Amino acid sequence: MDRDNLLWESSRMMLPEHRERLLAHQRQLGKKEKPILDGQKIEVLNRIVQEAMAERKKVRLLLYAPDREIERIGLIEKWAPIPPRLCLDLGDGGKEWIDWEEILDIEL
């Protein structure tokens, strides 16, 4: 019988407070910093928005979230300059306002 591990058997138990703290730490490690877009990228995104609105083309938006990237596809209905945001028609009868600061990329 192997008794080498018996000394550490009780160390597998964890207090609920320690478990919650460990899980919170793991969630924090999974978070990403929001990238800062340079002026050239913002200009490209502005042109794509103008083209999509003028020609009524669907766009694919890539949005920032701390733990993952989110994708939305639809038609740009409105552009509000203050605060800068887009109204996206999702096609299923739903609309969503998206803050400009949350947009990482736009594709036609």
Side-chain angles (χ1 to χ4, degrees):
M1 185 171 176
D2 187 15
R3 294 181 179 249
D4 292 337
N5 201 22
L6 291 178
L7 179 63
W8 303 108
E9 281 296 318
S10 65
S11 69
R12 291 185 189 178
M13 296 174 49
M14 193 179 293
L15 292 173
E17 307 88 60
H18 295 165
R19 183 178 181 279
E20 284 303 315
R21 181 66 190 130
L22 179 63
L23 292 173
H25 178 68
Q26 288 172 342
R27 283 191 298 270
Q28 185 68 24
L29 289 176
K31 290 185 178 181
K32 296 188 303 185
E33 295 239 352
K34 183 178 181 298
I36 298 173
L37 304 179
D38 64 357
Q40 186 177 7
K41 178 69 173 182
I42 292 171
E43 185 63 34
V44 168
L45 295 179
N46 280 324
R47 277 192 236 131
I48 292 172
V49 167
Q50 290 172 0
E51 180 182 344
M53 289 180 71
E55 299 180 16
R56 300 290 298 162
K57 291 182 177 179
K58 276 192 175 184
V59 294
R60 184 179 80 79
L61 300 177
L62 189 60
L63 308 173
Y64 169 78
D67 55 344
R68 66 189 191 292
E69 293 176 347
I70 301 169
E71 180 181 286
R72 294 285 187 267
I73 298 174
L75 292 171
I76 299 173
E77 289 277 315
K78 297 177 187 173
W79 161 254
I82 301 174
R85 58 190 185 149
L86 301 173
C87 180
L88 194 66
D89 180 357
L90 301 172
D92 59 357
K95 296 185 189 220
E96 181 177 357
W97 281 98
I98 298 171
D99 292 332
W100 184 255
E101 287 93 31
E102 300 305 315
I103 298 174
L104 299 175
D105 198 14
I106 305 173
E107 295 175 0
L108 290 174

